[in-house]
C-alpha cells in the first residue's frame, strides 16, 4: 500500500508541483514577518501570503468536495476570513495549520449542505459525469512526452474520482496526509481530533482507497 500511495502522490503532484517546503523554522519566521508587515499596512504582504498557499489550498479543497468552481469560491472565502481576522492570529501557532483549519471547516460545511439538498447533489454528479478532457491539467510540463502526459492526466483523474468516493471523515485525513504531506499533529489540530482518531481514520482511508483504486491499476 505504501508503494501505491507513493506512486499516486508522484503523479498527482506532477513534474511542476510547488517547490519543496523550506526548513520549518525559516518558513514560519518568514510567514510571521509577512503577517507583521500586513498588519503595519503593507498591502503587498498579504498578496504574497495568498500566492504562497493558494494552489495547494485549492487542490486540498477540491479533493475534499470534488467541484473545482465551488472549491475556488471556498478558497476565496477562506482567504477573506484570514484577512478579516489576521490581527487575532497567534504567532505561536503555525499559519498554514490555521489556514487549512478554516478551509477544512468550509469544505465540511459544503458537504453537509450538499447532503441536505438532493438537487445540489444531483447537479454535482451530473457535472462530474459530463466532465471531459478539456479540463486543464495543473503542472503539465511541455517537455514531457504526450503519451506520458496523457497517462499522468488519466491517473490524476482516477485519483480524484477515487478520493471523492471516500467517506468525508476519511477523505479529509487522507488528503491532508497523503497528498498535502501534513504531520499527524497538524492533522489533529486541523480536524479537531486526537492523534489516535487521526491514525485510525487514516488507516481506514488508505485501505478503502487501495480497494477502490486497485482494480483500475491491474
Amino acid at each position: 500500500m505504501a508503494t501505491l500511495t507513493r506512486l499516486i502522490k508522484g503523479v498527482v503532484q506532477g513534474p511542476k508541483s510547488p517547490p519543496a517546503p523550506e526548513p520549518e523554522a525559516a518558513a514560519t519566521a518568514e510567514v510571521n514577518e509577512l503577517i507583521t508587515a500586513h498588519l503595519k499596512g503593507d498591502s503587498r504582504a498579504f498578496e504574497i501570503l495568498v500566492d504562497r498557499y493558494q494552489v495547494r489550498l485549492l487542490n486540498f479543497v477540491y479533493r475534499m468536495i470534488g467541484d473545482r468552481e465551488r472549491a475556488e469560491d471556498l478558497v476565496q472565502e477562506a482567504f477573506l476570513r484570514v484577512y478579516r481576522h489576521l490581527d487575532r492570529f497567534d504567532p505561536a501557532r503555525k499559519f498554514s495549520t490555521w489556514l487549512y483549519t478554516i478551509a477544512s471547516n468550509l469544505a465540511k460545511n459544503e458537504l453537509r449542505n450538499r447532503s441536505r439538498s438532493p438537487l445540489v447533489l444531483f447537479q454535482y454528479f451530473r457535472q462530474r459525469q459530463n466532465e471531459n478532457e478539456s479540463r486543464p491539467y495543473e503542472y503539465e510540463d511541455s517537455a514531457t512526452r504526450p503519451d506520458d502526459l496523457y497517462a499522468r492526466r488519466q491517473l490524476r483523474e482516477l485519483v480524484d474520482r477515487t478520493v471523492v468516493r471516500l467517506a468525508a471523515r476519511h477523505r479529509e485525513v487522507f488528503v491532508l496526509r497523503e497528498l498535502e504531506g501534513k504531520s499527524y499533529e497538524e492533522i489533529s489540530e486541523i480536524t479537531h481530533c486526537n492523534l489516535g482518531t487521526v491514525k485510525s481514520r487514516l488507516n481506514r482511508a488508505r485501505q478503502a482507497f487501495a480497494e477502490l483504486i486497485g482494480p483500475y491499476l491491474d
Side-chain angles (χ1 to χ4, degrees), residues 22-79:
E22 306 169 38
E24 185 170 343
T28 299
E30 182 180 349
V31 168
N32 287 343
E33 288 174 3
L34 288 170
I35 293 172
T36 299
H38 166 74
L39 295 176
K40 289 182 177 180
D42 184 349
S43 59
R44 176 61 181 153
F46 192 77
E47 293 178 13
I48 296 173
L49 283 174
V50 173
D51 289 342
R52 186 182 188 118
Y53 292 104
Q54 65 179 347
V55 172
R56 295 192 69 88
L57 197 67
L58 176 59
N59 286 337
F60 166 65
V61 175
Y62 169 62
R63 290 176 181 130
M64 281 286 294
I65 69 172
D67 182 328
R68 174 66 63 173
E69 291 186 2
R70 185 61 183 142
E72 291 174 353
D73 292 339
L74 294 181
V75 168
Q76 184 176 8
E77 175 63 21
F79 279 116

Side-chain angles (χ1 to χ4, degrees), residues 56-158:
R56 295 192 69 88
L57 197 67
L58 176 59
N59 286 337
F60 166 65
V61 175
Y62 169 62
R63 290 176 181 130
M64 281 286 294
I65 69 172
D67 182 328
R68 174 66 63 173
E69 291 186 2
R70 185 61 183 142
E72 291 174 353
D73 292 339
L74 294 181
V75 168
Q76 184 176 8
E77 175 63 21
F79 279 116
L80 182 59
R81 293 189 182 191
V82 168
Y83 184 89
R84 289 172 176 168
H85 303 293
L86 199 54
D87 58 332
R88 304 178 190 175
F89 173 68
D90 180 2
R93 297 184 63 190
K94 192 172 181 180
F95 175 77
S96 63
T97 301
W98 183 53
L99 175 61
Y100 270 78
T101 300
I102 294 171
S104 176
N105 289 337
L106 289 170
K108 285 186 281 191
N109 286 339
E110 172 72 14
L111 292 173
R112 278 194 292 269
N113 292 337
R114 184 182 294 169
S115 68
R116 296 189 185 113
S117 172
L119 177 59
V120 172
L121 189 63
F122 170 76
Q123 291 172 339
Y124 161 70
F125 280 111
R126 184 174 62 181
Q127 173 189 338
R128 296 287 291 180
Q129 187 176 14
N130 292 336
E131 284 182 347
N132 55 45
E133 290 299 318
S134 65
R135 181 164 64 86
Y137 171 65
E138 294 88 348
Y139 313 133
E140 286 191 350
D141 186 350
S142 59
T144 305
R145 296 187 310 173
D147 55 339
D148 289 339
L149 285 176
Y150 176 78
R152 186 174 290 117
R153 180 187 293 115
Q154 291 295 102
L155 186 51
R156 180 191 176 101
E157 292 179 353
L158 174 60

Side-chain angles (χ1 to χ4, degrees), residues 128 154 156-166 216:
R128 296 287 291 180
Q154 291 295 102
R156 180 191 176 101
E157 292 179 353
L158 174 60
V159 169
D160 287 342
R161 291 196 303 270
T162 304
V163 168
V164 83
R165 293 172 63 191
L166 297 174
Y216 298 97

